[in-house]
Each structure stands twice: as structure tokens, then as C-alpha cells.
Amino acid sequence: MSERPRYSIVAPVYNEEGNIQILYDRIREVMDSTGEPWELVMVNDGSRDRSQELMEKLAARDYRIKVVNFARNFGHQTAVTAGIDYASGNAVILIDADLQDPPEIILEMIERWKAGYDVVYAVRQERKGESWFKLFTAKLFYRVIYRITEVDIPMDTGDFRLMDEKVVGVLRQMREHNRFIRGMTSWVGFKQTPVYYVREERHWGVTKYPFKKMVRFGLDAVTGFSYFPLQIMIYVAAILGVLALLAIPIIAILRLAMGEGFFGGQATTIVLLLLLSSFQLFFLFIMGQYVARVYDEVRNRPLYVVASTENTNGLEKRVLPTPELTEKISRPHDAATTPIQKAPADVQGE
Ligand code: UDP
Ligand code: MG
């Protein structure tokens, strides 16, 4: 059976053993109701529980289940990327494996897609069962991102979305390493529209986004789509400069009026020094964030390493990480110009 699926559902999986069966059941029910061919691409992002075993069992029974096993944990956004690479539908739907995104919404997305939209993104109207800290930071995060980024990234949307194959085709070419997929899809453009939904509680397990990963994710979003943090430095520098210039005559006048002792203490100097160096270090940190990401891109490592796959029918050949790498692999070194290739001959001669 190798009918091309019309819909590819992509789910990243990291230690979700308690969610896999029900995810499959709910998706199957929803997708079968469309009466059109579909596939479910599950990317196992280095899970250490029974996720892989459970997924492979499903794949053995249902050819529509594709499994991509990473060699280690590469992160949520990279897992989604691999899912997109391996998907072959006319429309690709990204969904979390923990059932926080109700699969039933997919039908609504498909309706909009058939009405001519290229990206249908789900907007969370309400979020259930998440800590006040997560709700607060998420709200703040989406508002800041919305203000400071150059492309319009809609507020309160996660990765839960449907994308037409033409958007997917562009996304596959965007091999940047620090990935913020929802921003990248907005960047692509075409006709985009929202659907609204209530984000459910996790069906099983705990969040795989501890605070550290959240911070990293936020920094990727900001540095990937905005130069604002680099640009505010000039304003802070200007304000501090003006303050310093104003302080000189003010201190001089006050000293003349109130006597030598005024403003003479070392305390002021120390406080100012601390303040200024903390500003400087903060901005150096921001610079560092951008520089580190430039370094990531320059190294141009593959985005992920696949250990094994199920039911993907040799698709892996199509998704070699970068054009350069593809070229390197398909074109062997010219023996005459490569000293390493000569060495064995020398050894043999002796
Ligand atoms: N995930 C992943 N790799 C990771 C972290 C998370 O593939 O390193 C998957 C996870 O299994 C889930 C989705 O990404 O399907 C969203 O993660 P999670 O539900 O933990 O995030 P939250 O909903 O709490 O923001
Ligand atoms: Mg979740």
C-alpha cells in the first residue's frame, strides 16, 4: 500500500509512553472520518521510556504510522523539523503528543485549508491544567515576541497548525539551527488564518519543558526574528551618556553651594560602577547570544541524526540535512588531489 497520503500528522515524542496509544486512537478516529488517506509521523526524540517500543508495535500493525528514531534528544523543535522532512502529505499538521491539542480541531483546519488557506494556526483561548507561572510567562512571552519581531507572529499560538505543501516546501529549505517553527511558518507568508480552541491538560506525564528549556526557546524566538535587543543598547548608552553629562554641572553646583563633603563619598562611585558594569555585562550577554547562534550556523552541522525508521519507505534519502552535505556525500574525493588517499599506496610500497 503506497497511496500518497493527503494528510500528514506530525507528532514529536519525548518520553510519552502513556500517551502513544490514545494519541493513535484519537487521531485514527478523527482522520478516518475524513475518508481520505493520511499518515501519522511520530518522531522519537531520544525517549528513554517505552515510547519507541510502543510506536514500533503500532507501526507494525498500521502502515500509516511512520516512526523516526533520533540517535539522542535533539529537542522539540528539531523533532518537529524531522517530522516535516519525512511527511509526504498535501497538508502537514503539527500536533503535540500529549493530547493538549485536541485532534478533533484538525477537521476544522482541513475545512479552512479546503477553503483556500495555506496555513491554519490554532490559537489557545484558554489553557487548562498549567501552573500560573507557565501561564504568566507564556502570556508575557507571546506579547513581547509580538512587539519586537519583524514578522507578525500571532499571539497565543503553539505549533499546532496545518500547513499546505507549498509552505512545507519552503520550511524544508530553512535549515537554521536555532529553530522557532511558529515564527518560521509566519515568515513564509501565503494565506494564513486562525482557528480557536481550548488547550487541554496533558493526558499523561509531566511537561518536558523545564525552565531552562523555556529560556532557551524564548532566546531562539527573539534572536531568530528580532534585532531589537541589539538595538536597545544604543538607547541605554545615550541615556547613560546624557545622565553623565548632566551630572557634572549639577555636582559642581551642589558642591559649591553645600561644601566639599557633598557627593564626595566612595559609596556613590561604587554603586555607579556596579550599575554600569552590570549594564555592560548584560549587553555583552546579548551580543554573545547572537554570536553563538552565528557560530551554530557557520559550523553547519546536520540538524539531527536518525538512528532508525519504520514505514518511511526510503524517504530518508530525500532529507539529507543540507545541499552542501548532500553534495559532499554524493561526490567522492578526487583521489589525485587528496593526500590522505595516497597514503595507503605509500604504505603498500614499503
Ligand atoms: N518534546 C520533544 N522533545 C523535547 C521536549 C518535548 O519531542 O525535548 C515533545 C513532547 O513529547 C511533546 C511536545 O514536544 O509532544 C511538547 O512538549 P511538552 O508537552 O512537554 O511541552 P508543554 O506543552 O508543556 O509546553
Ligand atoms: Mg504539552
Side-chain angles (χ1 to χ4, degrees):
M1 288 287 299
S2 56
E3 187 179 17
R4 183 180 174 192
R6 192 144 161 80
Y7 306 110
S8 298
I9 319 289
V10 166
V13 174
Y14 181 48
N15 297 341
E16 304 280 9
E17 61 183 7
N19 293 325
I20 286 169
Q21 182 64 43
I22 177 148
L23 176 74
Y24 167 67
D25 291 340
R26 289 211 15 213
I27 285 194
R28 191 184 51 186
E29 195 178 324
V30 168
M31 296 315 293
D32 278 349
S33 78
T34 63
E36 293 171 289
W38 58 273
E39 65 177 1
L40 170 61
V41 184
M42 292 198 272
V43 182
N44 172 19
D45 186 11
S47 298
R48 273 176 238 148
D49 62 359
R50 292 177 56 232
S51 296
Q52 175 168 354
E53 185 194 326
L54 294 174
M55 288 189 280
E56 287 177 351
K57 265 195 191 138
L58 286 179
R61 276 192 309 178
D62 187 341
Y63 70 95
R64 297 171 301 184
I65 307 285
K66 319 261 141 107
V67 181
V68 178
N69 291 305
F70 276 0
R72 63 168 170 86
N73 178 251
F74 281 89
H76 174 206
Q77 299 288 294
T78 310
V80 172
T81 303
I84 293 171
D85 289 340
Y86 280 84
S88 42
N90 299 109
V92 173
I93 297 121
L94 311 181
I95 194 167
D96 282 355
D98 58 5
L99 294 158
Q100 283 197 282
D101 309 326
E104 293 70 28
I105 306 291
I106 296 174
L107 295 177
E108 224 175 297
M109 293 177 168
I110 288 176
E111 226 169 84
R112 301 285 171 93
W113 176 60
K114 287 187 170 163
Y117 287 100
D118 302 300
V119 175
V120 187
Y121 54 90
V123 180
R124 303 155 179 174
Q125 273 186 316
E126 194 190 313
R127 297 167 70 129
K128 287 191 190 162
E130 287 178 303
S131 68
W132 68 267
F133 180 73
K134 177 110 187 180
L135 294 182
F136 173 76
T137 46
K139 232 183 166 92
L140 185 72
F141 170 68
Y142 288 113
R143 269 134 201 94
V144 170
I145 293 292
Y146 187 76
R147 291 260 143 74
I148 69 172
T149 49
E150 271 117 66
V151 286
D152 276 342
I153 300 169
M155 286 195 254
D156 303 323
T157 56
D159 289 332
F160 190 26
R161 60 188 58 225
L162 177 151
M163 299 175 294
D164 183 78
E165 57 189 328
K166 73 182 174 211
V167 175
V168 171
V170 181
L171 270 187
R172 282 200 191 111
Q173 289 171 41
M174 297 168 71
R175 304 312 289 186
E176 60 208 68
H177 285 243
N178 299 283
R179 307 174 72 78
F180 182 57
I181 304 230
R182 50 204 87 160
M184 291 162 67
T185 351
S186 299
W187 182 88
V188 173
F190 294 116
K191 281 176 76 184
Q192 311 215 355
T193 187
V195 290
Y196 296 89
Y197 79 113
V198 175
R199 188 152 163 95
E200 297 293 334
E201 267 180 62
R202 241 181 184 276
H203 170 73
W204 172 92
V206 291
T207 176
K208 310 307 185 293
Y209 262 95
F211 186 64
K212 212 171 137 197
K213 270 192 190 170
M214 271 163 67
V215 170
R216 164 90 214 182
F217 183 67
L219 280 169
D220 281 342
V222 173
T223 54
F225 290 91
S226 172
Y227 296 128
F228 180 75
L230 289 174
Q231 285 157 345
I232 50 175
M233 281 189 234
I234 187 64
Y235 298 113
V236 177
I239 291 168
L240 289 177
V242 169
L243 283 179
L245 285 180
L246 286 178
I248 296 169
I250 290 173
I251 290 172
I253 290 166
L254 284 174
R255 278 204 183 182
L256 282 178
M258 327 263 292
E260 275 294 296
F262 195 76
F263 256 119
Q266 284 183 335
T268 333
T269 323
I270 292 170
V271 168
L272 280 178
L273 250 172
L274 285 176
L275 198 68
L276 288 181
S277 20
S278 93
F279 267 126
Q280 287 185 333
L281 286 177
F282 174 70
F283 287 120
L284 266 176
F285 160 78
I286 290 177
M287 293 267 293
Q289 292 298 311
Y290 282 87
V291 172
R293 283 164 174 77
V294 170
Y295 183 47
D296 272 344
E297 301 309 326
V298 170
R299 271 186 309 196
N300 204 17
R301 289 185 184 160
L303 282 181
Y304 51 82
V305 179
V306 171
S308 64
T309 61
E310 302 293 329
N311 291 350
T312 56
N313 312 328
L315 254 181
E316 39 275 51
K317 288 191 197 74
R318 199 188 72 201
V319 293
L320 280 168
T322 60
E324 297 89 274
L325 197 67
T326 316
E327 202 180 27
K328 261 185 223 155
I329 290 170
S330 60
R331 226 174 359 132
H333 287 283
D334 183 348
T337 58
T338 317
I340 303 161
Q341 301 257 339
K342 281 185 183 164
D346 290 342
V347 174
Q348 263 179 1
E350 275 167 18

